[in-house]
């Protein structure tokens, strides 16, 4: 499937043309092609996944799962329920910092977001609660494993050639069994699958109170008569979507705010004025107000994704197609749309494209100074969540989670690097083709203590 030519598309107009032709330039074939190699489900399940993959004869398994995921994660009661479960877990992590602590910021963020996100999605019977340390370790062992298949090196070559990832790419794509050449990741994948198989064996939506997302997936799996073993294996792939991009995004958002004193003061002022209420003995953070009213914090998150989303959208060419009456794409080939190229294009973002500008996404009237007209970004070049029919359905949850967790960290605590050398933003390293926002190549150790005058206050999410 991936041994032929790869077309690399970086023009905004051509990217939009690709998105408009989603039936011919499709993402779903990659789900079928790579899914079994990522999760290890059996051949029967693989045939179910591949049936009606592109809606040839009505809905198939993948389309049903996708459509239910979109509706479950749209703004509304279902998303609010999942967010509330996530935030209830998050408060325990922030409470643990009140006495003061020295932490590795990425490691702390990784553990917090892994447990908070899975609690929000799987409810009280969250499999990660059975053995927290082991489950967290297992997921982060699987994540770099990704795919083992002999036909992918051609695609890797094209990505590294055009994206210069060869120095950072540490995930080897091989044509031998992962049990032999990646025993740690393979074992971790097996343990994660077993834990989620047990979860689905005992699944009780009324008792566990999982997210609508999980209830829908369980319902579809049951209707297609998937065994609990294969449901558990498929959930390993779901975890990649839930966590792999979210955690580095939250880490870098927090870090960019903390490391810029003026930005930190402005974000604090914005949150306190628009989304925070003090009551006796507690701080009430108005979650929806954070998302809807805190424009500077939202712009900072968007800029974090512009700078740090380095992945690539992919499409499979199902039939010959001519784009813009000029570009012929041949059947069986692959289309790559690298985010790093579009996110660093000065024509789209202006002459300061290489600078982290937390106000870049604010409305022009709020960024113009001295009556000079501010550069207006071409937002069509902004693709951290992909685009078209494969636009990430989890983007609303990720946005809410990142903004609220950043808000609590910067409002409740003073955070300083311990080495005395000041803040630095660590460079990223690629761990997996399955991710867009790669983790930092090194962690940063920080000292955390409660802000003066805010000691002893209890956080409450509203």
């Amino acid at each position: 499937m991936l041994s032929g030519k790869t077309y690399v598309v970086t023009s905004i107009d051509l990217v939009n043309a690709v998105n408009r032709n989603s039936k011919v330039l499709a993402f779903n074939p990659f789900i079928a092609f790579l899914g079994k190699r990522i999760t290890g489900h059996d051949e029967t399940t693989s045939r179910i996944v591949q049936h009606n993959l592109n809606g040839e004869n009505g809905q198939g398994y993948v389309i049903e799962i996708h459509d239910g995921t979109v509706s479950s994660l749209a703004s509304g009661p279902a998303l609010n329920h999942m967010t509330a479960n996530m935030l209830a877990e998050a408060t325990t992590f922030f409470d643990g910092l009140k006495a003061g602590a020295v932490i590795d910021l990425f490691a702390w963020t990784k553990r917090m977001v892994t447990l908070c996100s899975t609690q929000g999605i799987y409810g009280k019977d969250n499999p990660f609660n059975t053995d927290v340390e082991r489950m967290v370790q297992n997921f982060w062992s699987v994540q770099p494993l990704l795919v083992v298949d002999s036909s992918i090196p051609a695609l890797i070559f094209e990505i590294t050639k055009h994206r210069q990832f060869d120095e950072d790419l540490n995930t080897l794509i091989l044509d031998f069994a992962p049990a032999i050449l990646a025993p740690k990741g393979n074992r971790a994948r097996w343990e994660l699958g077993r834990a989620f198989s047990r979860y689905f064996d005992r699944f009780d939506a009324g008792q566990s109170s999982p997210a609508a997302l999980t209830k829908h997936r369980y319902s579809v799996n049951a209707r297609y008569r998937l065994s609990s073993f294969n449901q558990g294996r498929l959930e390993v792939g779901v975890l990649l979507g839930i966590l792999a991009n979210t955690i580095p995004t939250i880490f870098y958002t927090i870090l960019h705010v903390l490391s810029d004193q003026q930005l930190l003061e402005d974000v604090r002022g914005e949150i306190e004025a628009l989304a925070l209420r003090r009551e006796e003995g507690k701080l009430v953070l108005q979650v929806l107000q954070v998302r809807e009213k805190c424009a500077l914090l939202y712009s900072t998150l968007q800029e974090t994704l512009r700078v740090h989303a380095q992945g690539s959208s992919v499409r499979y060419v199902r039939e010959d197609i001519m784009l813009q009456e000029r570009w012929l794409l041949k059947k069986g080939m692959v289309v790559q749309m690298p985010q790093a190229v579009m996110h660093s294009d000065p024509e789209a973002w202006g002459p300061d494209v290489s600078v982290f500008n937390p106000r870049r996404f604010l409305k022009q009237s709020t960024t113009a100074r001295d009556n000079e007209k501010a550069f207006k970004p071409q937002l069509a070049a902004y693709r951290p969540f992909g685009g078209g029919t494969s636009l990430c359905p989890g983007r609303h949850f990720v946005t809410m989670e990142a903004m609220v967790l950043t808000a609590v960290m910067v409002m409740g605590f003073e955070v300083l690097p311990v080495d005395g050398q000041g803040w630095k933003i660590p460079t990223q390293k690629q761990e997996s083709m399955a991710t867009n926002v790669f983790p930092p190549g090194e962690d940063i150790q920080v000292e955390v203590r409660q802000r003066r005058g805010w000691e002893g206050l209890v956080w409450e999410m509203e």
Side-chain angles (χ1 to χ4, degrees), residues 184-230:
K184 182 179 178 182
N186 189 64
R187 174 71 182 181
R189 178 175 63 181
W190 184 85
E191 290 188 10
L192 284 170
R194 182 178 61 177
F196 278 96
S197 293
R198 291 171 176 169
Y199 173 79
F200 287 117
D201 266 336
R202 303 188 299 265
F203 188 77
D204 184 337
Q207 173 66 28
S208 186
S209 189
L213 170 72
T214 304
K215 289 188 280 189
H216 168 75
R217 211 162 47 249
Y218 176 79
S219 174
V220 174
N221 288 340
R223 187 149 36 82
Y224 279 87
R225 299 182 179 180
L226 299 188
S227 68
S228 60
F229 168 84
N230 287 298

Side-chain angles (χ1 to χ4, degrees), residues 123-185:
K124 297 175 184 177
D125 295 329
N126 176 16
F128 276 79
N129 293 339
T130 59
D131 187 343
V132 170
E133 299 304 328
R134 182 71 176 173
M135 289 291 286
V136 172
Q137 180 185 8
N138 278 338
F139 174 74
W140 291 98
S141 296
V142 167
Q143 204 266 338
L145 169 66
L146 189 61
V147 181
V148 176
D149 186 81
S150 60
S151 58
I152 296 181
L155 174 60
I156 293 295
F157 173 74
E158 289 297 329
I159 294 173
T160 56
K161 183 174 70 173
H162 291 282
R163 299 276 315 287
Q164 298 181 357
F165 276 166
D166 49 327
E167 294 183 1
D168 297 325
L169 190 63
N170 62 5
T171 303
L172 301 177
I173 309 302
L174 305 169
D175 58 358
F176 295 103
I180 299 172
L181 296 176
K184 182 179 178 182

